[in-house]
Amino acid sequence: LFLSRSSYFFQYGDIECLSPIIMVPVAESSTQQQCPAIVLDELHCLLRQQNCSEYGSIPRRFSRQDDSADVAQRWRHSVIEWCYKFTDSHNFDREVVAIALNFYDRYLFRQTEYNFLSRDLCQLIAVTSLYLAIKIHGIAEDVPVEHRARHTAWILNNLCFGIFEGERVAEMESNILQVLDWRVNPPTMHSMATTLANLLPMREEFEQARTYIIEATRYQLEVVIFDPAVLEDYKPMTITFAAFNNSAENAESLIPSQAVKDFRLHLAQISSLIGVNREDVEDLQEHLEVMVPELPSIESVQRQCLGKSNPQEESDGNFRMGSNSPTNVMDLSS
């Protein structure tokens, strides 16, 4: 399948998730009429993926209520923090953390051989999941093919920190791929956020708002993955749209007053287009407001996009260029 980056490197196991979408003919909204066809294709692709049997509902190990449930949940939080620290310190896109966690959660729930989850085992699964996510989704496309093997070896060396032998990681990688049936291209909420923002008309008065919405939505999504119950109870698009709505409310100040009404109309049309449950979205918006009581300021996002940081934020150790994430850490290599 020759698709754009939004195809998420579809492989053999994911083809059935892309079976033809049967759509009932309806009158096109102004949002659909103004969107590039590729954006609508990306949206339908993401919706189809999240609704397929493999990626739709991902039960977490803690919900099995076995002897290892509490251990799995406790270590899950530490795994996320460690993954963020590693990606930040090596300048990888934080989207790979969401992908790695998807592997981690699905593997632990399906792998029933482990009657006891030790710290060493959880670390090995986490290291391997992040390694696999970076290897498939995190290496920049402009890295020459002949250099990718060396780049992959460098990633593995830095991930292991001398704790695990490469053979153990390779063995676990093979085990994870088999347990996950080689389905390693989950739809990510980060990609959904970008696609939703691109559904807004490409008009000059919306551009600053679009940029802010993407960053503020990602900000919330990077926190919500710490709550496995939310990920299990709601579909990714519903969570993403709730965060998107919270961000859009903040972004209205960036839109000329005469265009605000049109902006809200397009948001309503997007909601209809993706078919989310309104009550679920409202409940999630309230939940996100508790988890993330303060969204990034418009000024901080604008500074980030212009490549200018705030010296005070840098000195406080809570800001790293390229991300507004609330869970960010300073570059460990400095």
Side-chain angles (χ1 to χ4, degrees), residues 104-120:
Y104 180 87
D105 283 336
R106 288 162 56 207
Y107 177 77
L108 275 182
F109 185 80
R110 289 178 169 222
Q111 182 55 278
T112 57
E113 294 179 7
Y114 304 135
N115 294 321
F116 175 74
L117 289 174
S118 64
R119 173 179 177 174
D120 178 74

Side-chain angles (χ1 to χ4, degrees), residues 269-285:
Q269 291 175 341
I270 291 173
S271 175
S272 177
L273 183 63
I274 62 179
V276 291
N277 181 284
R278 182 176 177 179
E279 291 183 358
D280 286 347
V281 172
E282 291 175 350
D283 289 344
L284 276 169
Q285 282 187 253

Side-chain angles (χ1 to χ4, degrees), residues 55-118:
Y55 295 135
S57 177
I58 309 172
R60 268 62 190 178
R61 181 62 181 262
F62 80 96
S63 63
R64 292 177 65 95
Q65 300 300 319
D66 59 14
D67 293 339
S68 296
D70 290 338
V71 177
Q73 172 61 6
R74 185 167 62 251
W75 280 112
R76 186 180 183 280
H77 194 284
S78 299
V79 163
I80 299 171
E81 289 185 333
W82 172 77
C83 286
Y84 277 143
K85 288 180 181 179
F86 183 86
T87 54
D88 287 350
S89 64
H90 292 84
N91 290 315
F92 288 110
D93 191 314
R94 281 177 153 229
E95 186 176 8
V96 298
V97 176
I99 296 171
L101 193 64
N102 179 282
F103 298 163
Y104 180 87
D105 283 336
R106 288 162 56 207
Y107 177 77
L108 275 182
F109 185 80
R110 289 178 169 222
Q111 182 55 278
T112 57
E113 294 179 7
Y114 304 135
N115 294 321
F116 175 74
L117 289 174
S118 64

Side-chain angles (χ1 to χ4, degrees), residues 297 299-300 303-304 307-321:
S297 67
E299 292 75 17
S300 68
R303 282 196 303 269
Q304 174 188 327
K308 299 175 182 178
S309 61
N310 185 320
Q312 179 59 42
E313 288 175 320
E314 286 186 335
S315 65
D316 290 342
N318 296 319
F319 183 87
R320 184 179 70 90
M321 281 306 301

Side-chain angles (χ1 to χ4, degrees), residues 9-188:
F9 195 67
F10 284 119
Q11 293 181 333
Y12 314 109
D14 292 316
I15 291 179
E16 70 177 53
C17 295
L18 290 178
S19 55
I21 302 173
I22 301 175
M23 303 189 68
V24 179
V26 294
E28 286 191 341
S29 66
S30 59
T31 296
Q32 288 174 282
Q33 292 170 351
Q34 296 179 47
C35 280
I38 190 172
V39 177
L40 292 174
D41 286 345
E42 289 175 351
L43 175 66
H44 296 324
C45 211
L46 289 166
L47 290 172
R48 191 68 183 184
Q49 270 193 295
Q50 78 161 8
N51 291 328
C52 75
S53 58
E54 179 63 27
Y55 295 135
S57 177
I58 309 172
R60 268 62 190 178
R61 181 62 181 262
F62 80 96
S63 63
R64 292 177 65 95
Q65 300 300 319
D66 59 14
D67 293 339
S68 296
D70 290 338
V71 177
Q73 172 61 6
R74 185 167 62 251
W75 280 112
R76 186 180 183 280
H77 194 284
S78 299
V79 163
I80 299 171
E81 289 185 333
W82 172 77
C83 286
Y84 277 143
K85 288 180 181 179
F86 183 86
T87 54
D88 287 350
S89 64
H90 292 84
N91 290 315
F92 288 110
D93 191 314
R94 281 177 153 229
E95 186 176 8
V96 298
V97 176
I99 296 171
L101 193 64
N102 179 282
F103 298 163
Y104 180 87
D105 283 336
R106 288 162 56 207
Y107 177 77
L108 275 182
F109 185 80
R110 289 178 169 222
Q111 182 55 278
T112 57
E113 294 179 7
Y114 304 135
N115 294 321
F116 175 74
L117 289 174
S118 64
R119 173 179 177 174
D120 178 74
L121 181 58
C122 284
Q123 282 183 321
L124 178 60
I125 297 170
V127 164
T128 309
S129 295
L130 185 57
Y131 171 61
L132 192 57
I134 291 174
K135 187 163 67 168
I136 297 174
H137 300 275
I139 298 179
E141 294 179 359
D142 58 358
V143 175
V145 174
E146 60 270 22
H147 294 162
R148 293 196 174 195
R150 186 192 312 167
H151 195 63
T152 300
W154 174 85
I155 295 169
L156 180 59
N157 183 60
N158 281 273
L159 274 170
C160 290
F161 291 118
I163 300 175
F164 300 112
E165 296 291 335
E167 291 77 9
R168 285 193 69 190
V169 176
E171 182 180 354
M172 178 58 71
E173 179 184 23
S174 177
N175 195 344
I176 289 175
L177 288 171
Q178 291 177 35
V179 170
L180 301 187
D181 198 24
W182 290 81
R183 298 179 189 272
V184 289
N185 305 283
T188 68

